[in-house]
Every structure is written in structure tokens, then in C-alpha cells.
Amino acid sequence: MPIIHPNSSTLPVTDYPTPSPYTNSTLNPIGVAAIDFFNDLLNKIPLPRWAVYAIFVAGGLLILLCCLCICIKCCCKGKKKKKQQQQQKEKVNLKGVDGKTTTALVQPDVADYGSANQQRGKLLYSLDYNAAQSELTVGIKQANNLKAMDLGGSSDPYVKVYIGPDKSKTFETKVFKSTLNPAFNEQFTFQISKSSLLKSTVVMKVFDFNRFSKHEIIGEIRVELCNVDWNHVIEEWQDLGEPAKFEEENLGELCFSLRYVPTAGKLTVGILEAKNLKSMDTGGTSDPYVKVQLALDKRKWRKKKTSVKKKTLNPYYNESFTFDVSFEQIQRVHLVISVWDHDALTRNDAMGKIFLGCDAAGNQLRHWADMLSNPRRPVAQWHSLLTPEQVNSTLVLKKKIPLQSKLPFLGGPPT
């Protein structure tokens, strides 16, 4: 029966059920269904609601603990791997250290990756001094694992040898093309007294040959001769070190071409250009010209010179000179090329010098040999200038030509 309040109107009041909180039309129907399913599932579990919640929390903690253990195991595995790699590197570095000094002398291929010098390579050399004849013989045997200086991962090495501090004579080995392990097997003899020997240093510089640019130095070895035991021949491997920046005097470079025609007996020398010449004048420049001289049988024979280029250290000449040299004479001829600074009021000063011929050495011999092996074709090359003293001590020219050489009817060479 409907209940009618005494103070109310006569309209009946209906008793409606309380609406469910999940019947809000603004809720997502899928979310409502999920919540109903979850409540039904909890109601079917014959455990108190707090026990069910405790089980869920314990399971979550267990899963979290398992994930943590897996992460710790992966980290430990990574550290162990890094440690093994480090141990392997240390084993490689200590490969050649066995307590024997001979190992470093006969095993040039043992790598020492922690050394900056090792990256330049090793050189096997020998030293032998003959006290009776005052002769020091320096042997350049071979090199190993040289630093690659060319784009192809190789080098064209050769070795320059001299004795400091005088540097009165400089020798060069042959150039080996495209190799990092050249076998030179060359010996060079220096005349030096016992007293001077103990104050001197043998310098062996390894260069990378470049025909049309400056030769790059790979490394060097300096041996203080006062510390050498001369009771026996010294032969050992040594790491190439960084080249010293002192003592080395840069006299500049000269580029010239050689062309020989055997059938016509013509030798053509083309003086092309020079660069980085030594400053001889007070203004920091020079007035350079080039003198081209031929010597036959080590006697001065013929000479010509270029024009003078004013106030420059990088002159450009492009001048050529042709000499009559028969095929028989070309084997006995030396070509001496020198750069001079012209002075109008005083004597001209020599700035640098080189010589070529069949008994030259190093790059000079290579250029001469390339000319002979390529007849009728000009062969150009850059050369580093040496001091006149170095060239004069190696190529000792006789100052005067015999009388018969000036008189054709006596059978001498033409002038």
C-alpha cells in the first residue's frame, strides 16, 4: 500500500530501488564488464578478501625479485666478458717478454701495442769498427712492420745514414717499392778516428719515397757510439723512434727532369722549380739560380746555369740544357746540380747541392737509373738538397782538366 504523509499532497510516493554505482552511463561498458567479472571471480574464491589481496601482493613481489635476479646475472656476465678481453690483451702485450734479451733482437714481429715507437716499425742494423784503418762500417740489414705512409696501406722505404754532429758524408739505401718489410742488405763505410768515434752518433733515418712531393720520414734510430762495446760486431733490432727536430737543416728541394737519347748521344737536363730554399739575404729571401755541371771521370767538364730569380725562396725556372754525351761516356759521367744565391757586390753563396751518376746512391741513383731505363722520355723527380760539404766529400772532383782534353787532336773528349 502506498504511504501517504499526513502533511503531504495526495500523490502517492513509490519505493524505487537504490541505483548501482556501476550503472553510470558515463562509464565505459568494457570497463564495467571487467569490474563485474573481477568481483564475481573474487566472490567465488573461498578465502577472505584480505587473504586474496595478500596472495596477489606476494606474487607481484616474487615476479619483481625474479626480474631483479635476471638483471644482476646479465650485468655480471658482461663484466666477466670484459675482464676476459682485458686479460687477452695483456697476454698479447706480454707475448715476447720471457726474460731473455735476445728475444727483442731476433723477433721483430712481436707486437707491442702499447708503444708509440712500435707503430713506426723496427730496423735491423750492424756496427763494426776497424781501429787499424779507422773505418766504421754501418750495415742496414732489413726493416719490419714499418708504418704505412701511402693511401694503399704501404710505403716505399729507404734509409739515410750519416754520423753526427759533423754530417760530413751521407749515404742512402735503395728504395723498395710498396713494402713494409724491406730487406736492404747494404753497408756503408765512414772514415773516423777513435777519438772522434767516441764523440759521435750514428743516425739512421727511414723515409717514404715520393717522386713528386716531399719524402716523409717514418722514424729514426740514433746510436751513441761512446756506449758501444767494440770488442765484437754489433747487430741488433731496434724500434724506430720519433724523428728529432733539432740538427736537421732544411736546405730546400729541387725538381728537375732527365732525358737521354742514346742514338743521338744527347743528355737533356730540365730545371723545373725549387721550393723552401734557405734564406740567404737580410730581408728573409734569396736570389737563387741553378748551376748544372757535368764531370767526366771525376774531372770538371761542362757547365751551364739558369737565370736568376729575384727575392724568392720558391723559384720557377722551366729551363732546359742539352749536353752531347755519348753512350760510352754516360757510364762515366756525373751530373752535379747546385743552387746558388746571386749577389751583385759579393761572392755568390752556395745554398745546396746534389749529384747523380752510376755510382751515386739512394734517390739520386734511382733517378739516374730511371732515366737510363726509359730512353727518349723525360723523367722528373724532386730531390732534397744537401750541403756542398756533404756532396764534395762524397764526390771528389779533380779541379783541372788535362791538357789533352782541351786539344781534340790529342784524343780527349770534346769541350
Side-chain angles (χ1 to χ4, degrees):
M1 292 293 293
I3 301 174
I4 300 176
H5 196 274
N7 297 326
S8 65
S9 62
T10 59
L11 294 175
V13 178
T14 306
D15 189 7
Y16 295 102
T18 304
S20 174
Y22 304 113
T23 60
N24 193 342
S25 60
T26 60
L27 294 178
N28 190 343
I30 299 177
V32 173
I35 293 174
D36 292 339
F37 174 79
F38 184 72
N39 288 330
D40 293 340
L41 183 63
L42 290 179
N43 293 329
K44 293 179 181 180
I45 297 176
L47 290 175
R49 190 62 64 89
W50 63 266
V52 176
Y53 291 153
I55 292 174
F56 278 116
V57 171
L61 291 176
L62 183 61
I63 295 174
L64 182 62
L65 183 62
C66 292
C67 294
L68 184 62
C69 292
I70 293 174
C71 293
I72 294 175
K73 186 175 181 180
C74 291
C75 292
C76 293
K77 187 176 181 180
K79 290 182 179 180
K80 185 177 180 180
K81 187 176 181 180
K82 289 182 179 180
K83 187 176 181 180
Q84 290 177 350
Q85 291 177 350
Q86 184 70 20
Q87 290 176 349
Q88 289 178 355
K89 289 183 179 179
E90 292 177 356
K91 288 180 180 180
V92 172
N93 288 336
L94 300 176
K95 182 180 177 181
V97 181
D98 58 357
K100 299 180 181 179
T101 57
T102 55
T103 302
L105 304 182
V106 299
Q107 294 292 339
D109 54 344
V110 174
D112 181 8
Y113 298 102
S115 172
N117 292 340
Q118 180 64 23
Q119 297 176 359
R120 299 176 182 272
K122 291 176 176 284
L123 181 68
L124 176 63
Y125 66 91
S126 65
L127 299 174
D128 185 20
Y129 184 68
N130 188 330
Q133 299 181 5
S134 298
E135 289 183 350
L136 173 64
T137 302
V138 181
I140 305 298
K141 305 296 184 178
Q142 65 183 92
N144 192 271
N145 293 332
L146 294 178
K147 182 179 178 180
M149 307 295 287
D150 299 335
L151 295 178
S154 186
S155 295
D156 302 325
Y158 70 94
V159 183
K160 184 183 294 186
V161 184
Y162 62 85
I163 296 180
D166 295 337
K167 294 180 62 177
S168 59
K169 184 178 290 188
T170 301
F171 293 101
E172 294 181 5
T173 68
K174 296 178 182 177
V175 179
F176 282 73
K177 299 290 290 184
S178 302
T179 179
L180 301 179
N181 304 283
F184 298 104
N185 294 322
E186 297 188 43
Q187 291 185 337
F188 308 104
T189 302
F190 298 87
Q191 291 290 333
I192 184 171
S193 63
K194 183 71 173 182
S195 59
S196 299
L197 183 75
L198 301 178
K199 303 175 184 177
S200 301
T201 301
V202 172
V203 182
M204 294 162 277
K205 293 178 176 286
V206 183
F207 287 87
D208 173 47
F209 173 82
N210 294 294
R211 182 177 295 277
F212 300 111
S213 62
K214 184 178 181 180
H215 301 173
E216 297 179 283
I217 186 168
I218 300 175
E220 70 172 31
I221 294 175
R222 292 174 178 266
V223 181
E224 301 287 342
L225 298 181
C226 60
N227 300 325
V228 177
D229 181 10
W230 298 109
N231 293 324
H232 54 85
V233 178
I234 305 300
E235 183 170 326
E236 62 181 5
W237 285 96
Q238 190 169 333
D239 292 333
L240 292 173
E242 183 178 359
K245 296 182 179 180
F246 64 92
E247 175 201 278
E248 190 70 20
E249 185 180 13
N250 184 15
L251 300 178
E253 298 174 83
L254 180 66
C255 183
F256 58 89
S257 65
L258 300 177
R259 179 176 181 264
Y260 183 65
V261 182
T263 55
K266 300 288 185 181
L267 172 63
T268 301
V269 181
I271 305 299
L272 302 178
E273 60 178 312
K275 62 182 179 181
N276 301 325
L277 296 179
K278 185 179 179 181
S279 173
M280 305 294 290
D281 299 337
T282 55
T285 61
S286 298
D287 301 324
Y289 69 94
V290 181
K291 184 187 294 184
V292 181
Q293 184 178 22
L294 286 183
L296 182 63
D297 296 328
K298 292 192 175 182
R299 295 182 184 273
K300 295 180 180 180
W301 188 23
R302 296 167 177 171
K303 65 180 179 180
K304 296 181 180 180
K305 62 182 181 180
T306 67
S307 58
V308 178
K309 303 298 179 180
K310 293 290 186 178
K311 300 184 183 302
T312 179
L313 301 180
N314 302 280
Y316 179 78
Y317 297 101
N318 197 24
E319 301 179 31
S320 61
F321 309 99
T322 301
F323 301 90
D324 292 325
V325 182
S326 66
F327 184 74
E328 185 272 332
Q329 291 172 332
I330 198 67
Q331 307 294 329
R332 298 154 37 216
V333 159
H334 288 92
L335 173 63
V336 183
I337 300 180
S338 53
V339 182
W340 296 74
D341 175 48
H342 175 75
D343 290 313
L345 302 178
T346 60
R347 185 177 180 180
N348 297 338
D349 299 317
M351 303 171 64
K353 199 173 188 179
I354 64 170
F355 84 94
L356 298 88
C358 290
D359 58 351
N363 297 315
Q364 290 76 29
L365 177 60
R366 180 183 181 86
H367 195 179
W368 191 260
D370 288 345
M371 175 198 70
L372 295 178
S373 60
N374 296 276
R376 295 176 295 277
R377 194 184 79 180
V379 180
Q381 183 175 317
W382 282 94
H383 292 269
S384 297
L385 294 173
L386 303 174
T387 63
E389 294 76 17
Q390 287 177 287
V391 175
N392 295 340
S393 63
T394 304
L395 179 64
V396 182
L397 296 179
K398 300 175 183 179
K399 295 183 178 180
K400 294 184 179 180
I401 301 177
L403 179 61
Q404 66 173 4
S405 65
K406 293 185 178 182
L407 302 176
F409 55 85
L410 293 179
T415 58

